[in-house]
Amino acid sequence: MLFTSVRLLDAQLSGGIPANMVNFTFNWPTLRVLNINNNQLTGTIPEAMFGPATLPPFYPALNLQTFNAEYNQLTGAIPTRVSRGSVMSTFMLGFNQMTSIPESLASWLDGRKYCDLEGNKWACPIPAGVSENCKAYCN
C-alpha cells in the first residue's frame, strides 16, 4: 500500500485554497496526510475538497488520515463534507479565523483522536462534545 503525504507547512503560501486543489476521494495515489499549516491562507475551506455534493454509487472512500491547516487566516464554517473522512484521526484547524461549527459535525469531531479547533472565533453555541475534545470555545 502506498502512503502519500503533502506537506506544505511554513511554505509562505497565501490566498485561498483552490476548490480543486485536491480531491481527497481520488484513489491514486492514496493521499493520507495534508499538512498546510503555518502559512497565510485565507478564505473558506472549499466543500469540494471532500468530494462532490452527491456521491455516485461506488465512489472511492476518503482515505485522508490527517488534515492540518492550523495557523492560517481561514474563515467561515468547517465544511460538512469533511465528515466523509471516517478514517481521519487528526483534524486540526487551530488558530485561524473560523466562525462556525455545523451541528451535523458534532459526533464526527468528537470521534477524532486528535482534534484542535482552539484559537478561532467560534459562534455560540458550540455543538456538544466539541469543546472538550477539540478545544473549541465560543466568543
Side-chain angles (χ1 to χ4, degrees):
M1 177 173 283
L2 180 65
F3 295 97
T4 305
S5 64
V6 174
R7 298 177 193 273
L8 298 171
L9 59 149
D10 299 315
Q12 299 180 357
L13 300 174
S14 62
I17 300 172
N20 62 350
M21 175 183 169
V22 64
N23 181 348
F24 294 130
T25 54
F26 185 69
N27 260 353
W28 183 259
T30 304
L31 185 63
R32 300 286 183 179
V33 175
L34 179 63
N35 188 342
I36 53 175
N37 74 311
N38 205 20
N39 285 288
Q40 293 93 40
L41 297 172
T42 58
T44 61
I45 300 169
E47 286 276 354
M49 288 181 69
F50 301 96
T54 304
L55 292 177
F58 310 111
Y59 202 75
L62 181 71
N63 294 311
L64 191 68
Q65 294 175 347
T66 299
F67 181 81
N68 183 350
E70 291 188 308
Y71 296 99
N72 283 287
Q73 290 104 40
L74 298 170
T75 59
I78 298 173
T80 57
R81 293 183 208 166
V82 72
S83 65
R84 294 176 179 168
S86 59
V87 297
M88 191 181 307
S89 60
T90 303
F91 185 71
M92 303 173 80
L93 286 176
F95 303 97
N96 279 286
Q97 306 296 313
M98 305 287 294
T99 56
S100 178
I101 302 172
E103 183 67 39
S104 62
L105 292 179
S107 64
W108 184 84
L109 287 166
D110 192 41
R112 299 311 94 201
K113 185 173 183 180
Y114 304 104
C115 181
D116 186 3
L117 302 177
E118 184 178 12
N120 282 282
K121 298 180 177 184
W122 303 117
C124 296
I126 299 288
V130 177
S131 291
E132 295 79 28
N133 189 49
C134 298
K135 300 179 275 183
Y137 306 103
C138 62
N139 290 326

